[in-house]
Amino acid sequence: MQFLLALIVVGPLLGAAAALLPAPPGLKGKSPDQAVLRHGVTVTGVILLAAIVLALGFDHDQPSRMQATTDISWIHALDVRIHLGVDGISLPLLVLTALLSFLCALYSYFKMPTGPSPKGFVALLLVLESGTLATFAVLDLVLFFLAFEMVLIPMYFLIARWGGEGRQAAAWKFILYTLLGSVVMLLGLLLIGVKAGTFDMVALATDNGRGLTASVQVIAVLAIGIGLAVKTPMWPLHSWLPDAHTAAPTVGSVLLAGVLLKMGTYGFVRILLPITPDGMRTFAPYLAAFAVAGIIYGSLACLALARPGNKGDLKRLIAYSSVGHMGFVLLGIATMTPTGVNGALFANVAHGLVTGLLFFLVGAIKDRYGTADLDTLAGATGAALYGRAPRLGALLAFAAVASLGLPGLAGFWGEMLALFGAFEPAEGLSRPAFLTFTAIGAFGTLLTAAYLLLVVRRVCMGGPRPAGETPIADVQGYEFAAWTPLVALTVLAGLWPAVLLGLTDPAVQKLLAGGTR
């Protein structure tokens, strides 16, 4: 188990280095480009297999206990340690990251985005995977920061070199926002480490803030929270996200929405809730207020983009929807209750599955029509997917209703539990304020349904293909292979939420109790 977790974290990094080397003559296949793309599929496939084996070998009777741990001294003078481990909170995110990375590599093997040599693309994809997996596996604050930052450079280059129109400006906006937030976050992490005398996240969580004064906790939550909120992204620190998604290649958007946004909310749960509970209690009402503002703002922005005549970009619309969905995650965290935090973690995974599928589908539509402009797609010669590509249209409708939170699909449970948590917040938090947040969040679900159904009606519905019009391809074999796991897991999580909640709930209970359970 220790070896598996180390392989999962380090393996993609070694694969990235190997991707830059010349392919052995017997493995080149038709061309060196094909060989390096196949290398990406192989490495991400091995990491996914290792993550599945790790999940199967995980002791599901004790999901609150850190398992597969490695603890080695690294920088003795600062007591920084190479400390790895997984529990019921991090394991689902670890498997989700490995799955989406493999599906993106598989998709790219058949549909490589336009840009420079595939060597750099595959190497960056693997470095990005390694950094994300490390973020969910490390248990030292300094290592967490390094892993958190490790993903920025590969994502910057994926957007800037393989992106679409406006990619340079979008890439710069992405890197500047996230770097500035990270500088402030580093100061907060160092403050905790210096004042508590350790950077070990397990020891700090067990101490539950008893070694930190209230003022230190408040300053730490403010500093770390800003860095995490930018990555989440929380309104009003979200403005880098729509530009990044619109310009990014399809697989870049899938990974950005599916796993990178989860790093911010994971930091709130893993670091701020257990280590600085008094500081979190001070800021929880403000976090909840920003969360519900993001829910309403994201939904209204999507409605505006979906309205006829506004030249709304479908990728941009899905990006704004992420602002709303991550608002529910932040609302659940702000309640500081097991119900709310479990809902936040469930919504995290559900958003990764559903929005990852949505970006895959939007990328496929853009490839076929040469545009993601809603007015063009909904015009007389536009998509009308039910008549022109029925399987593609059905999948888009499925992903849309999953995203709006239809009962029986993954999107439902996280948002519902987050609202339930806000209805009965933790002791010491203002119940009237959180009841107001609950009502606003519930109204946001109606707005979400409105814009997603409007998108389905405009893009999918319409008459059959006119005679003489060039047909478009329906779902291809490689697309079916890349999308089917996301569809299946969306249904599984919706019909059997206990699979995920059974992992997260004991770990959340222990985390909120300061390791005493």
Side-chain angles (χ1 to χ4, degrees):
M1 294 284 280
Q2 290 173 308
F3 171 78
L4 271 178
L5 185 58
L7 171 67
I8 288 168
V9 173
V10 179
L13 212 53
L14 300 176
L20 298 175
L21 300 174
L27 297 178
K28 284 185 179 179
K30 294 180 181 177
S31 69
D33 287 351
Q34 186 193 50
V36 75
L37 290 170
R38 187 170 59 244
H39 170 79
V41 176
T42 302
V43 173
T44 54
V46 169
I47 298 304
L48 174 59
L49 182 62
I52 292 171
V53 173
L54 180 70
L56 294 175
F58 187 81
D59 186 353
H60 292 260
D61 293 329
Q62 300 185 65
S64 62
R65 180 174 63 86
M66 281 296 171
Q67 301 180 36
T69 54
T70 298
D71 193 0
I72 304 170
S73 179
W74 184 36
I75 305 175
H76 184 72
L78 298 176
D79 194 28
V80 177
R81 310 183 68 80
I82 299 176
H83 192 182
L84 306 176
V86 290
D87 63 357
I89 292 172
S90 54
L91 182 64
L93 293 170
L94 209 70
V95 176
L96 176 67
T97 301
L99 173 65
L100 287 177
S101 299
F102 170 70
L103 298 181
C104 286
L106 180 66
Y107 187 84
S108 299
Y109 179 78
F110 295 96
K111 191 69 179 178
M112 172 70 194
T114 304
S117 164
K119 274 195 172 187
F121 176 82
V122 171
L124 290 169
L125 203 66
L126 292 173
V127 172
L128 182 68
E129 180 185 21
S130 181
T132 312
L133 290 167
T135 302
F136 299 136
V138 298
L139 297 172
D140 183 279
L141 290 178
V142 175
L143 281 185
F144 177 86
F145 176 77
L146 294 177
F148 198 84
E149 294 302 286
M150 182 177 167
V151 304
L152 301 185
I153 300 303
M155 182 53 74
Y156 167 81
F157 280 109
L158 285 174
I159 296 171
R161 302 298 298 278
W162 285 272
E165 186 179 350
R167 59 183 182 270
Q168 294 292 343
W172 273 110
K173 197 171 186 180
F174 163 76
I175 200 79
L176 288 175
Y177 264 77
T178 48
L179 274 178
L180 289 173
S182 298
V183 169
V184 182
M185 184 177 77
L186 177 61
L187 297 176
L189 294 174
L190 292 176
L191 176 65
I192 289 177
V194 169
K195 292 296 183 180
T198 180
F199 290 102
D200 186 271
M201 291 158 67
V202 176
L204 289 166
T206 303
D207 189 59
N208 204 216
R210 287 183 285 270
L212 301 171
T213 63
S215 58
V216 167
Q217 290 191 38
V218 167
I219 295 170
V221 169
L222 182 61
I224 298 170
I226 288 173
L228 298 175
V230 170
K231 186 66 73 71
T232 297
M234 179 185 77
W235 180 89
L237 303 174
H238 69 285
S239 60
W240 62 270
L241 183 72
D243 291 339
H245 270 308
T246 304
T250 297
V251 294
S253 293
V254 170
L255 291 174
L256 183 58
V259 293
L260 261 68
L261 304 189
K262 313 302 175 280
M263 294 164 63
T265 51
Y266 175 77
F268 276 104
V269 175
R270 177 64 74 195
I271 297 174
L272 295 185
L273 279 178
I275 297 175
T276 55
D278 294 337
M280 271 298 290
R281 199 167 285 109
T282 300
F283 281 104
Y286 304 102
L287 179 62
F290 283 123
V292 295
I295 293 170
I296 300 300
Y297 172 84
S299 298
L300 291 177
C302 289
L303 276 172
L305 288 170
R307 193 174 302 154
N310 282 2
K311 306 297 276 185
D313 186 281
L314 190 51
K315 283 189 76 176
R316 196 173 189 85
L317 184 146
I318 303 302
Y320 272 111
S321 78
S322 291
V323 177
H325 288 305
M326 298 312 287
F328 283 102
V329 177
L330 290 172
L331 177 61
I333 293 169
T335 68
M336 299 184 70
T337 62
T339 301
V341 176
N342 275 304
L345 293 171
F346 198 104
N348 249 350
V349 175
H351 179 264
L353 295 171
V354 176
T355 308
L357 177 60
L358 275 170
F359 276 116
F360 269 134
L361 292 166
V362 174
I365 292 171
K366 188 172 183 179
D367 288 339
R368 286 159 170 78
Y369 286 94
T371 181
D373 178 72
L374 267 169
D375 287 341
T376 303
L377 293 175
T381 59
L385 289 178
Y386 289 156
R388 291 171 170 82
R391 288 190 290 275
L392 187 59
L395 280 170
L396 181 63
F398 169 83
V401 297
S403 184
L404 65 82
L406 185 75
L409 297 175
F412 171 73
W413 296 105
E415 295 181 3
M416 185 195 71
L417 290 172
L419 292 173
F420 277 178
F423 189 76
E424 286 283 355
E427 186 178 348
L429 298 179
S430 169
R431 188 159 188 244
F434 273 84
L435 286 175
T436 304
F437 300 146
T438 304
I440 296 172
F443 178 66
T445 62
L446 300 179
L447 294 178
T448 303
Y451 72 74
L452 285 168
L453 292 176
L454 181 58
V455 166
V456 171
R457 182 175 66 82
R458 296 193 67 201
V459 176
C460 294
M461 296 183 181
R465 179 170 58 89
E469 182 184 293
T470 303
I472 66 165
D474 209 338
V475 177
Q476 303 293 295
Y478 70 92
E479 293 172 329
F480 183 80
W483 304 341
T484 298
L486 299 179
V487 173
L489 288 172
T490 298
V491 175
L492 177 64
L495 295 178
W496 195 12
V499 172
L500 190 54
L501 293 174
L503 281 173
T504 62
D505 186 51
V508 167
Q509 297 275 1
K510 180 178 179 179
L511 207 67
L512 294 177
T516 57
R517 295 188 183 183

